[in-house]
Amino acid sequence: MGRKFFVGGNWKCNGTSDEVKKIVSTLNAAEVPSEEVVEVVVSPPFVFLPLVKGLLRADFSVAAQNCWVRKGGAFTGEISAEMLVNLGIPWVIVGHSERRLILNEANEFVGDKVAYALSQGLKVIACVGETLEQRESGSTMEVVAAQTKAIAEKVSNWDHVVIAYEPVWAIGTGKVATPAQAQEVHFELRKWLAANVNPAVAESTRIIYGGSVNGANCKELASQPDVDGFLVGGASLKPEFVDIIKSAETNKAA
Ligand code: 13P
């Protein structure tokens, strides 16, 4: 039926083991809505995954921030989907704009990664989003549709996919999309899924928003009908992440 609210914390390339332990103990002590209302997933850097998984409360889970596109082997510096499965890591973030733009990950490569991770039993947070130039030139939907199409071409079962719409101009800038801007793209993405995959997938797939989400702006965003949660960067390292988790209640009431 309804799409369960999803709050992801992308810690990116931050933290020491002491800092990580501190964040986890804050989360463990937090009073948040139940698992029936909100799914919470935090994504530490690879090296801290076992530590976080070991310490984190049982109703929250963990995600890796990336994985290799195919079966592991002679790929120096990479981490395979098989390794994540072996460590009991249930989720992986794929296609984050920082990887698309800085490391030149192309749409097709991201689509292949999503498909391979799913084939190994991982659940995937697949990121899409336009740059400021693309938004200003009016090509936002064209860009996110092409990114989503490259994933849709490789994926047949969407049960374990969450789409994160993260406009690049809103990431780490403090310049959050307005609720109307987020809702518009989420609505269009859902329409795209209905037309190009099928209406059932469009109805059940969670589309979450990322880009300068914080404790102050999360409620209004969460009340938008097509915003099914958040992928949070900077604020996921701070106690206000708990307030963002609690915004799930706003969504339920909407
Ligand atoms: P910020 O919340 O720091 O803008 O980052 C968003 C993001 O990239 C999450 O993946």
Side-chain angles (χ1 to χ4, degrees), residues 8 10 12 93 96-98 127 166 170-174 210-213 231-236:
N10 177 7
K12 307 193 179 185
I93 297 172
H96 192 280
S97 64
E98 285 149 15
C127 305
E166 302 203 295
I171 294 177
T173 57
S212 295
V213 176
L231 188 56
V232 185
S236 72

Side-chain angles (χ1 to χ4, degrees), residues 43 62 83 111 117 138 169 183 197 214 229 245 251:
S43 188
V62 288
M83 291 171 194
W169 48 271
Q183 168 59 24
V197 181
N214 62 34
I245 297 170
N251 180 259

